[in-house]
């Protein structure tokens, strides 16, 4: 089992009564609750509150073992994984290596832009945003100060929308109190979206609500804005427009883990590997691929790279492994879409869940409840809840530390 | 005002009604509660819980300003500081740059040993300890595995004693549950002390109690053990003894900030600058030095490099600055020793406070209460308290993440 994300973890847990020895491999020792990563990036939560060590999560499970290694190559013929700690053989393999930030070959963005896929990414954004304010306070030149205080988020999907909303609230509700000499008119937050839609998965009414809410929070939402280059000082759009900005957060895409490229199988879009309806690799019934790394179409569209797909695939694979061992026929995977949720700040969210279309305060409450329920570990739930309450009532963000490297 | 530690922060706050403009400089944007740093290093607390942004602490103070800069040199003649953001002039200067780990010129230890003075230090220790267990699980060679699981703490002062106790509990109460295949007999924790005393500031009965408690927690306490060399693989003692150990935590000494060396004043022991009884620099009545960076003797002994000295010096300097401005004579500084406290793990501490000598559970409760009171910010108090309760009742340490660099 490769990867302790939503898919790998769910599969490992669902196999607890199956007569197999589960060995979970991950380069990190923890499972990360990625949907709240943007809150770490905006100083609302501490990294330890949205992550939990894999060993601690699956501690009671008798047939479970964990190894902190990086898997570098998969050899289907030899049934062997090459890892940072030497080769590991397998009988059955579940690949759930997840995804990474997709810069679409934009090298300058890869160098100067900030992705948001892991804890170090989130800490880097937090450090950059807070440091920009400290530097702006020291900057006598007005143009340079404005560039320091211009924050660009690229990508109008859930990550970009949530990031832009949280960033605006961090600055306009919290940091203004820390920087009484700051001229808030020097601050700009832009959300650049290449198409003419935010949150494309949502129905139009909710998309419109999301855009309006962001605008009311002083986020300049730009549609049809494609990035052509970024040199760390100014971002250049395909239209020819140039915006000086010291901070660009890239939330415009994900692609499958680079491990996929070692499999020797032609990849589909975003580096994802096409799998059978049973999530097996064609020609290798002992290998399953799930989550962001797998490519499946359903109802004519590819399944999205989101946590619910990975979780359901993990459950499906665990069931199919049990069937495989008892000689039964495998069942095809069928994704049940439970909907989409995105929050845009305090009291504001959009939700399209089980056919229910909500926006504003009711959607926000639903977002809170669902995320608290899904967080792993009672302690994490409690701490996140206290932090949110604190933020809500006192307009404070606790984790405003700049941690030097 | 240079340095947002205990001394600088207290002085800045105490100057709130004095007709001066206070500009606080620090290379970090936060004040760190150093006495609990060892708990971050042993995964008991999160860094955000023992640190608070300086701007947030002094937010309401009208005559306060903060700048995140590193001060590289002080020019007394020009009344100017050289900083990472250019020169800054001053009328009155309070230097409170604090201390750093003192490796006593032991270069090999500086390279391979782990200090404990700042948040990155603490995270580095946490990462190293947890990674050692992960690597030990992958290590087939028994000797190498034992070296991975040998943890050496050098220095029997409060930091070393608290570190060794907390490390032992992390391993024996928490990590054993995460690593069911671990042979606990492979784990060694050694505390090396060059003299024949732990916690030299305490009376003998309490010193004995501390040593016994550590021993009961399976910490091998070695007296008369001086380190001569460490190559990252094995530590060599002056006695000729060689101990293979992958992790050495250096808690054997502190010295004043390197900023002291730029002052052009001959330093006393540990690089500290001798100051007048009023804490002024001889010949420069407009410059005060406080905290770890200052050298003062009282009752025939140098004042220790601890938080209470810095705090009281900060208060004294603030009063003296007010007197200086109103043309009154300055008052000499007089340290009131409130005692010493050190904890050695659950239910165990030693305390010598206001003449009261306690050990065991009562001392531990006193330690808890005093530290919670002194932590800055209600939220930090609350979170630390919840974490401690969690640890106490469930034998858990929440922050067991290995964060990649």
């Amino acid at each position: 089992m490769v990867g302790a994300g939503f898919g790998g973890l769910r599969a490992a847990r669902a196999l607890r009564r199956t007569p197999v020895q589960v060995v979970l491999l991950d380069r990190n020792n923890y499972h990360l609750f990625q949907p709240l990563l943007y809150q770490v990036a905006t100083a609302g939560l501490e990294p330890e509150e949205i992550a939990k060590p894999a060993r601690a999560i699956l501690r009671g499970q008798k047939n479970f073992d964990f190894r902190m290694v990086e898997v570098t190559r998969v050899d289907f013929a030899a049934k062997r994984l090459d890892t940072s700690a030497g080769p590991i053989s397998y009988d059955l393999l579940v690949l759930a290596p997840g995804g990474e930030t997709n810069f679409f070959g934009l090298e300058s963005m890869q160098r100067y832009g900030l992705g948001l896929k892991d804890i170090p990414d989130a800490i880097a954004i937090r450090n950059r945003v807070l440091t920009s304010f400290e530097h702006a306070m020291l900057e006598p030149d007005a143009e340079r100060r404005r560039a320091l205080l211009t924050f660009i988020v690229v990508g109008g999907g859930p990550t970009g929308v949530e990031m832009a909303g949280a960033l605006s609230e961090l600055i306009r509700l919290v940091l203004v109190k820390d920087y009484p000499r700051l001229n808030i008119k020097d601050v700009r937050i832009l959300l650049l979206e290449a198409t003419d839609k935010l949150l494309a998965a949502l129905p139009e009414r909710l998309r419109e609500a999301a855009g309006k809410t962001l605008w009311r929070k002083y986020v300049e939402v730009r549609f049809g804005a494609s990035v052509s280059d970024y040199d760390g000082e100014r971002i250049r759009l395909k239209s020819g427009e140039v915006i000086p900005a010291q901070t660009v957060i890239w939330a415009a895409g994900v692609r499958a883990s680079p491990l996929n490229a070692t499999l020797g199988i032609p990849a589909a879009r975003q580096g994802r590997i096409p799998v059978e309806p049973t999530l097996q690799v064609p020609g290798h019934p002992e290998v399953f691929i799930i989550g962001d790394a797998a490519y499946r179409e359903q109802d004519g569209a590819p399944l999205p790279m989101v946590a619910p797909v990975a979780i359901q695939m993990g459950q499906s694979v665990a069931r199919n492994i049990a069937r495989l061992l008892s000689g039964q026929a495998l069942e095809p995977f069928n994704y049940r879409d439970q909907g989409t949720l995105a929050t845009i700040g305090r009291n504001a969210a959009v939700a399209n869940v089980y056919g229910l279309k909500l926006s504003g305060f009711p959607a926000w409450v639903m977002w809170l409840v669902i995320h608290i329920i899904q967080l792993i570990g009672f302690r994490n739930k409690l701490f996140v809840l206290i932090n949110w309450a604190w933020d809500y009532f006192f307009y404070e963000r606790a984790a405003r530390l700049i941690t030097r490297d």
Side-chain angles (χ1 to χ4, degrees), chain A:
Chain A
M1 186 98 43
V2 176
F6 285 107
L9 204 65
R10 183 58 63 110
R13 190 185 271 178
L15 284 167
R16 65 187 174 283
R17 286 185 235 286
T18 309
V20 288
Q21 175 63 29
V22 178
V23 181
L24 182 64
L25 312 178
D26 198 294
R27 62 184 165 170
N28 290 318
N29 76 329
Y30 53 82
H31 166 73
L32 176 65
F33 192 76
Q34 284 200 17
L36 290 177
L37 199 52
Y38 79 96
Q39 296 210 358
V40 173
T42 51
L45 295 175
E46 296 155 44
E48 289 82 354
E49 292 164 0
I50 62 162
K52 192 165 173 164
R55 290 181 187 277
I57 297 173
L58 293 169
R59 194 183 264 169
Q61 190 167 326
K62 286 272 183 291
N63 66 346
F64 172 77
D65 197 9
F66 178 79
R67 293 186 201 169
M68 192 180 80
V69 296
E70 173 133 31
V71 177
T72 50
R73 209 174 71 90
V74 183
D75 186 338
F76 286 150
K79 293 194 180 181
R80 200 185 60 209
L81 305 170
D82 289 347
T83 80
S84 52
I88 297 176
S89 295
Y90 63 83
D91 301 314
L92 288 169
L93 177 66
V94 180
L95 288 174
E100 58 170 21
T101 302
N102 189 355
F103 291 97
F104 298 102
L106 213 58
E107 259 180 59
S108 62
M109 190 55 79
Q110 187 149 15
R111 183 157 336 140
Y112 300 110
L114 298 164
L116 182 59
K117 278 300 283 179
D118 203 346
I119 287 179
D121 288 347
I123 299 290
I125 293 177
R126 185 177 91 184
N127 282 344
R128 177 76 72 86
V129 171
L130 297 174
T131 304
S132 295
F133 277 83
E134 290 297 339
H135 287 175
M137 290 298 102
L138 300 166
E139 180 59 60
D141 181 74
E143 292 306 336
R144 285 194 50 78
R145 192 165 60 239
R146 272 185 221 115
L148 278 166
L149 296 177
T150 299
F151 303 93
I152 295 184
V153 179
V154 184
T159 306
V161 166
E162 297 195 313
M163 185 72 213
L167 191 57
S168 171
E169 294 199 336
L170 168 67
I171 293 170
R172 298 194 160 257
L173 302 180
V174 183
L175 293 186
V176 282
K177 294 191 285 184
D178 280 352
Y179 300 88
R181 273 156 225 205
L182 173 78
N183 182 355
I184 193 75
K185 295 203 181 76
D186 284 347
V187 178
R188 281 179 82 185
I189 301 170
L190 291 95
L191 179 64
L192 307 183
E193 166 57 39
T195 72
D196 65 348
K197 288 191 186 76
L198 292 184
L199 304 169
L202 287 178
E204 195 186 342
R205 189 171 66 77
L206 296 181
R207 292 201 308 260
E208 293 294 320
K212 251 186 225 161
T213 308
L214 278 176
W215 197 262
R216 269 209 313 276
K217 289 183 191 295
Y218 300 97
V219 175
E220 303 174 34
V221 184
R222 297 278 193 88
F223 294 103
S226 292
V227 176
S228 68
D229 191 40
Y230 179 53
D231 65 0
E233 302 277 334
R234 38 188 69 76
I235 195 167
R236 196 174 295 275
L237 305 187
K238 292 228 168 89
S239 65
E241 182 175 354
V242 177
I243 308 166
Q246 294 280 328
T247 304
V248 173
I249 296 161
W250 184 260
V254 281
R255 66 175 174 209
S257 158
L259 188 63
N260 273 8
T262 74
L263 302 181
I265 299 173
R269 271 194 280 177
Q270 295 157 302
R272 301 166 79 184
I273 301 289
V275 289
E276 306 276 5
T278 54
L279 306 178
Q280 285 162 304
V281 172
H284 293 282
E286 75 284 5
V287 182
F288 298 82
I289 306 186
I290 63 176
D292 289 358
Y295 184 83
R296 277 295 305 157
E297 289 185 7
Q298 191 169 309
D299 307 327
L303 290 174
M305 294 166 84
V306 295
V309 171
I311 291 172
Q312 293 181 28
M313 283 182 164
Q315 285 168 322
S316 163
V317 156
R319 271 196 310 271
N320 271 342
I321 286 177
R323 299 177 79 90
L324 197 68
L325 294 175
S326 58
Q328 294 171 273
L330 303 201
E331 285 173 345
F333 173 70
N334 183 38
Y335 176 55
R336 292 172 308 284
D337 188 359
Q338 291 153 342
T340 305
L341 270 166
T343 174
I344 314 156
R346 46 197 311 125
N347 305 338
V350 286
N352 181 20
V353 181
Y354 294 117
L356 206 66
K357 292 174 186 50
L358 299 172
S359 65
F361 188 73
W364 184 72
V365 170
M366 176 180 268
W367 181 93
L368 282 184
V369 171
I370 287 181
H371 279 78
I372 284 288
I373 289 172
Q374 289 186 341
L375 254 182
I376 289 179
F378 179 73
R379 182 191 161 282
N380 283 355
K381 288 182 210 286
L382 178 69
F383 273 56
V384 167
L385 210 54
I386 297 176
N387 263 327
W388 282 350
W390 213 269
D391 186 2
Y392 190 77
F393 292 112
F394 301 119
Y395 294 82
E396 272 291 3
R397 300 269 176 104
R400 298 199 302 285
L401 304 188
I402 300 172
T403 46
R404 280 174 304 142
D405 300 321

